[in-house]
Amino acid sequence: MSKRFTARAVATAAVLALTASGLGIPASAAPSNSRTFTVVAEDGVAADTAVAAIRAAGGTVVSRSDEVGMFQVTSDRADFAARATAAPTLIGAAEQKAIGRKPKLDRVEQEHRTVAKAAAGAAAKKSAKMDPLDDKLWGLGMVRADKARKIESGDRRVTVGVLDTGIDASNPDIAPNFNWSLSRNFAPDLIDVDGPCEVPSCLDPVGTDDGGHGTHVAGTIGAAANGFGLSGVAPNVSLVELKGGQDSGYFFLDPVVNALVYAGQTGIDVVNMSFYVDPWLYNCTANPADSPEDQAEQRAIIKAMKRALIFAHNNGVTLVGALGNNNEDLGAPRTDVSSPDYGADPYPRPIDNESCWDLPTEGPHVIGVSSVGPSGKKSDFSNYGTEQISVAAPGGWFRDGFGTDTFRTEANMILSSYPKHVLQEEGSVDAAGNIVAGFEESVFKQCKANGECGYYTYLQGTSMASPHAAGVAALIVSRYGKPERRGGFGMSPDLVEQHLYRTATEHACPEPRLQQYRNEGRNETYDAYCAGGVNFNGFYGYGIVDAYSAVKTPLKPNARP
């Protein structure tokens, strides 16, 4: 997922935190004695009625999303959240809080930086007429994107929204496909969370990424096939920045919901979501372990996210989400011992599968994507389960290849574009822009004759799998989409989803079905049982996405996966 990324466990340097908090107002913009909340109205309540209830509770509405009944509110009343929750027309209020800073390294996505590794394995053979670094992109070959582009490389009219930490449009592989006119930043910097603002308004300009995660995702989806650097699954589609994540990697409710509503309003074709909503690993409607206030906050998160996802889908957006990095069957969740992950100490929370959701991946209309390594095995960290999985895709697995010279090598991960200044902050690129000794196998620099350079690095996670699927979805829209009213171009999300499933490469469960990862150094908490048959199972869903099959196979609108 994204820094907190991927449905839960990309845990940290990419610490993704969709919290049910406010957003939209930089920390420096609100009065010092005022707090900011996200308030969600009950179903069927008119916006003006909700505003009146908010005012009666002592709040001031500073922004509103009437499409989903969500309001950003400031109040100096210490009891505002309780008063809002008690109002019959409101579900609840969630306060925007300072939640700390991200760690320097993410324990899943940047595993290669935190554990001992083997010498680099043999490089893959370079394909003809591909970009210089494409020989390192085993994922492109696995989904057959290299063959697909001979038939369909993407249509410029097709827009793919990257709901993430931003996109570094200065990268020469991103720049040709970056859509400046549609890109938006919904997540102003919050000083207590992100540190000092880079610009006076605290709203970073589009085309920038101070986290890196969004740029990596964008490159996998649609880096240009231009003879430079590397190429994406759909190298001719338009990339739209939907910045819903903080520079620190956290994701708050307001920016994410507003980004989804905007995607629906403007006709974005595909949106990739590689993150989960903090501070709760699972948002529950009435978990007995939670306080009444926390229960109300989670109900607000659930309602707002579901409304936003449904709104986007109903307005033509195909939604693709990372399944998560918690090595967990989402249909039989373990006791949550990590929540809340800020604001208070975590405590054991038994999870009822019927009333708790990992959002957005368990939300309506989201295509959930698990991660596989180069061998095709499920990555040890990847979530799974027949209840939520849709398809599988290359997400990388550092520990893949046990018994071979590729075991514990960066080449098992996913290489993609990354901002130079983030690499400098992480210590792998020096002030002069050169790769630091010791990082030559994990960071790459490509420069043009005019001195313009692009940087690339390896990450792993379901955050990296999801954009492979999003890229294939974009190729489907490119290949089979049709002109729409008002000069648009697109395709029904239901048809995109159906065709994606029908053309995926079926993959049977491994034998034995109970997979253990002892050789890879994992304990019993990583044991995973694969249920289901060849056509659909808990590790691979309908199969590993296949770009070539997707653009070659005729569309059958009434076919079933």
Side-chain angles (χ1 to χ4, degrees):
M1 298 214 123
S2 137
K3 302 205 160 194
R4 197 82 189 209
F5 305 103
T6 225
R8 159 87 198 131
V10 162
T12 225
V15 123
L16 163 172
L18 229 329
T19 143
S21 341
L23 218 327
I25 300 179
S28 60
S32 59
N33 63 337
S34 181
R35 295 180 296 161
T36 303
F37 300 83
T38 294
V39 178
V40 179
E42 289 282 5
D43 289 336
V45 173
D48 290 343
T49 301
V51 170
I54 291 168
R55 289 173 178 165
T60 300
V61 175
V62 294
S63 67
R64 50 196 280 182
S65 298
D66 291 2
E67 297 86 350
V68 293
M70 188 181 73
F71 307 85
Q72 188 176 47
V73 177
T74 59
S75 178
D76 57 7
R77 290 193 63 113
D79 61 349
F80 172 76
R83 289 166 61 89
T85 300
T89 56
L90 305 176
I91 294 175
E95 183 182 356
Q96 175 179 298
K97 306 171 185 176
I99 51 183
R101 304 296 299 282
K102 71 172 182 178
K104 289 185 177 179
L105 295 177
D106 182 289
R107 69 174 178 86
V108 173
E109 293 188 350
Q110 295 174 301
E111 183 185 5
H112 62 302
R113 301 275 300 275
T114 63
V115 300
K117 55 192 177 186
K125 294 182 179 179
K126 188 172 181 179
S127 301
K129 297 183 179 179
M130 299 289 281
D131 287 356
L133 296 177
D134 282 355
D135 63 329
K136 304 179 186 302
L137 306 186
W138 56 268
L140 278 188
M142 179 176 283
V143 305
R144 300 202 291 176
D146 49 348
K147 294 185 65 176
R149 69 183 54 170
K150 297 176 182 178
I151 300 173
E152 178 61 71
S153 60
D155 189 307
R156 188 70 67 199
R157 295 172 294 178
V158 175
T159 50
V160 182
V162 180
L163 209 175
D164 217 293
T165 58
I167 298 178
D168 178 12
S170 70
N171 185 295
D173 268 326
I174 300 295
N177 294 339
F178 189 76
N179 190 312
W180 290 94
S181 64
L182 289 179
S183 294
R184 297 288 186 275
N185 179 356
F186 298 93
D189 290 345
L190 302 174
I191 294 174
D192 290 340
V193 175
D194 303 311
C197 297
E198 291 87 357
V199 296
S201 67
C202 290
L203 188 70
D204 294 339
V206 296
T208 62
D209 180 8
D210 293 324
H213 193 272
T215 301
H216 198 279
V217 166
T220 296
I221 295 170
N226 54 3
F228 178 90
L230 48 73
S231 60
V233 173
N236 274 341
V237 299
S238 294
L239 298 170
V240 180
E241 175 187 335
L242 301 176
K243 188 178 188 301
Q246 302 304 122
D247 293 350
S248 54
Y250 287 93
F251 285 67
F252 290 86
L253 184 63
D254 253 41
V256 171
V257 168
N258 289 334
L260 287 169
V261 170
Y262 173 81
Q265 291 172 332
T266 54
I268 304 299
D269 294 296
V270 180
V271 168
N272 185 83
M273 301 175 291
S274 292
F275 55 82
Y276 78 97
V277 182
D278 282 327
W280 310 99
L281 171 55
Y282 288 92
N283 287 280
C284 305
T285 55
N287 193 321
D290 300 329
S291 69
E293 293 77 12
D294 289 339
Q295 291 177 6
E297 174 180 280
Q298 292 169 62
R299 287 194 295 270
I301 295 172
I302 293 167
K303 184 64 70 174
M305 283 298 299
K306 286 187 174 182
R307 286 175 181 168
L309 292 167
I310 291 170
F311 178 86
H313 174 270
N314 289 347
N315 283 274
V317 181
T318 297
L319 301 163
V320 184
L323 207 59
N325 300 336
N326 200 39
N327 48 278
E328 184 168 28
D329 182 346
L330 291 177
R334 300 188 295 262
T335 295
D336 174 17
V337 296
S338 64
S339 302
D341 58 9
Y342 69 84
D345 293 332
Y347 53 87
R349 304 173 65 234
I351 300 300
D352 170 33
N353 189 51
E354 297 301 317
S355 60
C356 300
W357 288 268
D358 179 354
L359 295 168
T361 192
E362 292 191 301
H365 307 298
V366 177
I367 298 169
V369 187
S370 69
S371 170
V372 300
S375 68
K377 291 182 64 176
K378 183 187 81 70
S379 308
D380 57 6
F381 53 78
S382 179
N383 285 350
Y384 59 98
T386 55
E387 182 177 294
Q388 299 299 338
I389 194 171
S390 302
V391 290
W397 183 24
F398 178 68
R399 301 181 187 222
D400 202 357
F402 177 76
T404 73
D405 61 357
T406 63
F407 180 57
R408 286 179 177 255
T409 59
E410 285 95 342
N412 289 331
M413 302 171 74
I414 303 299
L415 184 69
S416 190
S417 45
Y418 214 68
K420 178 178 74 172
H421 73 282
V422 178
L423 292 170
Q424 290 173 324
E425 292 170 0
E426 294 176 353
S428 56
V429 171
D430 64 23
N434 299 314
I435 298 170
V436 174
F439 291 94
E440 297 89 350
E441 298 297 331
S442 61
V443 177
F444 299 88
K445 175 183 179 181
Q446 294 269 298
C447 294
K448 293 182 175 181
N450 64 2
E452 185 180 6
C453 299
Y455 291 80
Y456 310 84
T457 194
Y458 286 104
L459 295 177
Q460 68 175 7
T462 55
S463 280
M464 285 65 249
S466 182
H468 281 87
V472 176
L475 289 178
I476 292 172
V477 180
S478 298
R479 182 71 169 164
Y480 303 107
K482 297 180 180 180
E484 298 177 335
R485 291 178 298 174
R486 299 188 299 275
F489 182 86
M491 183 175 171
S492 162
D494 292 330
L495 290 180
V496 175
E497 181 178 7
Q498 180 187 91
H499 196 68
L500 182 73
Y501 297 168
R502 191 167 65 89
T503 59
T505 301
E506 292 182 347
H507 197 301
C509 283
E511 292 294 342
R513 284 178 177 258
L514 179 62
Q515 288 290 288
Q516 298 178 326
Y517 299 92
R518 301 298 186 274
N519 289 333
E520 290 81 11
R522 299 302 197 185
N523 61 26
E524 68 279 358
T525 63
Y526 284 82
D527 291 357
Y529 182 82
C530 183
V534 175
N535 62 330
F536 183 83
N537 59 67
F539 279 13
Y540 302 97
Y542 288 105
I544 298 174
V545 295
D546 187 332
Y548 180 64
S549 179
V551 300
K552 185 179 180 182
T553 303
L555 187 68
K556 294 182 179 180
N558 298 317
R560 297 178 63 86

